[in-house]
């Protein structure tokens, strides 16, 4: 890889972006996520004529194209300021009389001499040429290892089959969602993170596999594609959840942990060969609305189903909701929490729809029946309850590992 260094002024750089000669957001970049205070501080640094880190640009001389590798957020901040989207804060420490006099002004309101000085501010440019296909992404990964990028955002620069597969299904999921929300967004590549973890778990064939940021990074670097069957199953599960969200029938309060569990449950239970299972949407709506404390969109038939449960079964179902909530809001990545959430979903469907447990989980039936009984008799003491939950998780781990 050949590296050329130069300098250009802000106005020339912005004009290049506006003319389409510089792509500020290629597909390995993240979306615009800088909060306004951070943008304001960058503009303050420029007005003080302080140092601003270099912009890294990938140059393809054959295609006569240039793409921003690193520095997108800084350029977005400059563009936003020059579009009058926010004003100068003249109170930032250490105070400077020149900046204080500009407090509250937007770009178009600046005195001519100040605006001219801002436009002339030099930006260091580092251009990358004669590189191999993996070198720009690797450099982006290394440049951002010590910044506030999330692990998922860093992995997104490791362009290869795993990253591209995850991006593909996430793009389709976001398209299916449209303007609807499932409770959180993909602003920091949260969807990518949950889906890549799920793909690794399914590839391992073990729900108890501990997936860390380091192991995901190694999997991305390996470059081998995830099996097509796994990615198709994940896409089907995502489509099912997006469809329910788009219909507005469920209280949206999923997070990465609960999304992961619902996706795994769907892939694990609702295979193309599954028989005699209740409609996924019916179960999802009941479980999610009940655990959120809402009876929104629970129809008369579903309400009758809930009210007709025997006292012990109703107590076990409520405990499933409670444990799922607890294990989705804390200790979300530990194996015990992952197993308990999955057990709660399996017990919940067995309680609401007895006799519909599919042949695929025949060997789990005794564990599910025993777990439902234990859920209906959980001790109130915190210590004893924690021990009982750990036992439930261990028994479920053995059951799912022997299927």
């Amino acid at each position: 890889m050949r590296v050329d260094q130069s300098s250009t002024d802000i106005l020339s750089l912005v004009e290049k972006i506006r003319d389409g000669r510089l792509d500020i957001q290629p597909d390995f970049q993240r979306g615009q996520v800088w909060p306004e205070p951070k943008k304001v501080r960058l503009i303050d640094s420029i007005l003080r004529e302080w140092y601003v880190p270099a912009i890294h640009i990938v140059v393809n001389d054959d295609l006569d194209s240039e793409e921003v590798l690193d520095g997108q957020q800084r350029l977005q901040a400059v563009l936003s300021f020059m579009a009058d989207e926010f004003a100068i804060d003249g109170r930032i420490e250490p105070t400077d009389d020149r900046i204080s006099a500009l407090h509250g002004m937007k770009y178009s309101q600046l005195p001519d001499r100040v605006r001219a000085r801002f436009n002339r501010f030099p930006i260091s440019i580092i251009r990358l040429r004669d590189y191999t296909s993996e070198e720009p992404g690797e450099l982006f990964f290394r440049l951002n290892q010590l910044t506030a990028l999330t692990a998922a955002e860093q992995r997104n620069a490791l362009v290869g089959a795993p990253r591209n597969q995850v991006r593909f299904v996430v793009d389709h999921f976001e398209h299916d969602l449209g303007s609807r929300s499932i409770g959180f967004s993909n602003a920091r590549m949260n969807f990518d993170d949950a889906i890549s973890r799920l793909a690794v778990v399914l590839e391992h064939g073990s729900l108890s596999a501990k997936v860390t940021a380091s192991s995901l990074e190694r999997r991305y670097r390996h470059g081998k594609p995830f099996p097509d069957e796994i990615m198709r199953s994940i896409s089907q599960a995502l489509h099912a959840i997006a469809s329910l969200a788009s219909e507005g029938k469920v209280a949206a309060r999923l997070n990465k942990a609960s999304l992961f569990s619902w996706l795994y449950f769907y892939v694990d239970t609702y295979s193309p060969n599954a028989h005699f299972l209740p409609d996924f949407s019916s179960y999802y709506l009941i479980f999610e609305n009940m655990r959120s404390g809402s009876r929104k969109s629970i129809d008369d038939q579903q309400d009758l189903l809930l009210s007709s449960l025997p006292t012990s079964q109703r107590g076990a179902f409520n405990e499933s909701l409670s444990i799922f909530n607890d294990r989705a809001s804390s200790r979300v990545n530990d194996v015990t929490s992952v197993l308990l959430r999955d057990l709660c979903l399996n017990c919940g469907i067995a309680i609401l729809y007895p006799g519909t447990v599919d042949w695929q989980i025949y060997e789990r039936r005794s564990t599910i029946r025993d777990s439902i009984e234990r859920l209906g008799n959980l001790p109130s003491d915190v210590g004893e309850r924690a021990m009982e939950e750990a036992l439930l998780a261990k028994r479920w781990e053995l059951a799912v590992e022997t299927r």
Side-chain angles (χ1 to χ4, degrees):
M1 178 167 58
R2 180 161 59 91
V3 178
D4 298 330
Q5 299 188 43
S6 61
S7 177
T8 189
D9 60 81
I10 281 181
L11 186 59
S12 297
L13 198 57
V14 167
E15 288 176 346
K16 199 169 187 178
I17 295 169
R18 289 172 175 169
D19 292 343
R21 291 175 288 143
L22 175 60
D23 185 359
I24 196 172
Q25 195 172 357
D27 66 354
F28 54 77
Q29 281 280 14
R30 53 189 167 142
Q32 184 175 341
V33 297
W34 266 17
E36 186 169 297
K38 195 167 184 178
K39 297 178 186 179
V40 169
R41 286 186 176 276
L42 175 69
I43 300 306
D44 180 81
S45 296
I46 294 173
L47 291 170
R48 294 171 190 260
E49 299 180 323
W50 287 0
Y51 170 73
V52 172
I55 305 296
H56 291 68
I57 294 175
V58 177
V59 180
N60 188 321
D61 289 314
D62 292 336
L63 299 177
D64 193 27
S65 67
E66 295 187 352
E67 298 178 339
V68 175
L69 176 72
D70 186 68
Q72 178 211 25
Q73 301 300 311
R74 275 161 273 154
L75 292 175
Q76 290 280 18
V78 169
L79 287 167
S80 295
F81 177 65
M82 294 178 74
D84 280 356
E85 293 179 8
F86 61 89
I88 294 167
D89 185 351
R91 300 164 299 187
I92 296 176
E93 298 287 344
T95 56
D96 183 305
D97 291 342
R98 294 179 306 153
I99 310 300
S100 298
L102 304 174
H103 179 69
M105 290 186 184
K106 295 184 176 180
Y107 175 80
S108 63
Q109 299 169 323
L110 293 175
D112 291 343
R113 57 182 178 78
V114 175
R115 188 165 52 252
R117 189 168 66 245
F118 179 91
N119 292 343
R120 291 195 305 269
F121 183 83
I123 298 286
S124 297
I125 304 294
I126 297 178
R127 288 183 169 85
L128 313 179
R129 287 185 165 91
D130 301 333
Y131 47 82
T132 61
S133 59
E134 70 274 12
E135 283 179 332
E138 180 65 28
L139 178 58
F140 178 83
F141 181 87
R142 296 185 184 189
L143 286 171
N144 289 285
Q145 272 187 305
L146 300 179
T147 71
L149 287 182
T150 66
E153 288 170 330
Q154 291 182 27
R155 286 196 303 274
N156 191 53
L158 301 177
V159 179
R163 175 266 196 190
N164 293 340
Q165 287 173 303
V166 171
R167 281 272 78 222
F168 180 80
V169 298
V170 169
D171 286 344
H172 278 267
F173 181 48
E174 291 186 292
H175 178 268
D176 287 346
L177 281 175
S179 60
R180 295 283 184 175
S181 171
I182 59 168
F184 68 104
S185 73
N186 198 36
R188 303 304 304 267
M189 294 196 157
N190 291 314
F191 295 164
D192 296 66
D193 190 51
I195 291 164
S196 60
R197 289 176 184 275
L198 176 62
V200 169
V201 165
L202 293 172
E203 189 174 47
H204 277 265
S206 172
L207 190 58
S208 57
K210 187 167 181 60
V211 183
T212 64
S214 296
S215 65
L216 283 172
E217 178 192 328
R218 288 194 297 271
R219 182 63 186 83
Y220 270 49
R221 286 184 183 281
H222 188 272
K224 179 183 177 182
F226 291 115
D228 289 340
E229 181 182 355
I230 285 177
M231 301 312 295
R232 277 197 302 270
S233 298
I234 293 174
S235 294
Q236 291 166 2
L238 287 167
H239 179 72
I241 289 177
S243 297
L244 290 167
S246 65
E247 293 170 9
K249 290 183 177 180
V250 63
R253 61 188 304 261
L254 295 185
N255 57 16
K256 282 201 296 185
S258 52
L259 175 64
F260 173 93
S261 289
W262 274 114
L263 293 176
Y264 180 85
F265 175 77
Y266 185 98
V267 171
D268 186 49
T269 307
Y270 285 80
S271 73
N273 298 319
H275 302 289
F276 309 119
L277 284 167
D279 179 60
F280 174 75
S281 62
S282 296
Y283 178 50
Y284 180 83
L285 289 173
I286 290 177
F287 195 96
E288 278 301 306
N289 282 320
M290 291 299 291
R291 84 180 181 96
S292 68
S294 167
R295 300 184 72 84
K296 179 182 180 181
S297 296
I298 293 180
D299 59 31
D300 293 340
Q301 185 177 357
Q302 293 167 342
D303 187 62
L304 179 62
L305 177 63
L306 288 167
S307 60
S308 64
L309 290 175
T311 303
S312 60
Q313 298 281 294
R314 190 181 302 116
F317 183 69
N318 288 335
E319 287 293 354
S320 293
L321 300 174
S322 176
I323 292 174
F324 189 97
N325 271 338
D326 176 52
R327 294 291 176 155
S329 61
S330 62
R331 307 182 298 281
V332 295
N333 287 325
D334 68 281
V335 172
T336 298
S337 292
V338 172
L339 288 164
L340 280 173
R341 291 198 305 268
D342 189 59
L343 174 62
C344 288
L345 292 178
N346 278 274
C347 287
I349 200 170
I351 291 169
L352 292 177
Y353 305 95
T356 60
V357 178
D358 192 67
W359 64 269
Q360 282 187 296
I361 55 173
Y362 176 81
E363 294 180 358
R364 307 183 195 176
R365 287 182 181 177
S366 61
T367 303
I368 291 174
R369 282 195 291 264
D370 179 71
S371 297
I372 291 172
E373 183 177 345
R374 288 174 177 271
L375 286 169
N377 296 282
L378 282 180
S380 56
D381 179 78
V382 175
E384 292 179 8
R385 185 184 179 92
M387 292 178 62
E388 185 66 19
E389 287 185 9
L391 179 61
L392 284 167
K394 188 63 180 177
R395 286 170 60 84
W396 187 239
E397 180 179 20
L398 294 174
V400 296
E401 292 299 319
T402 57
R403 69 188 178 100

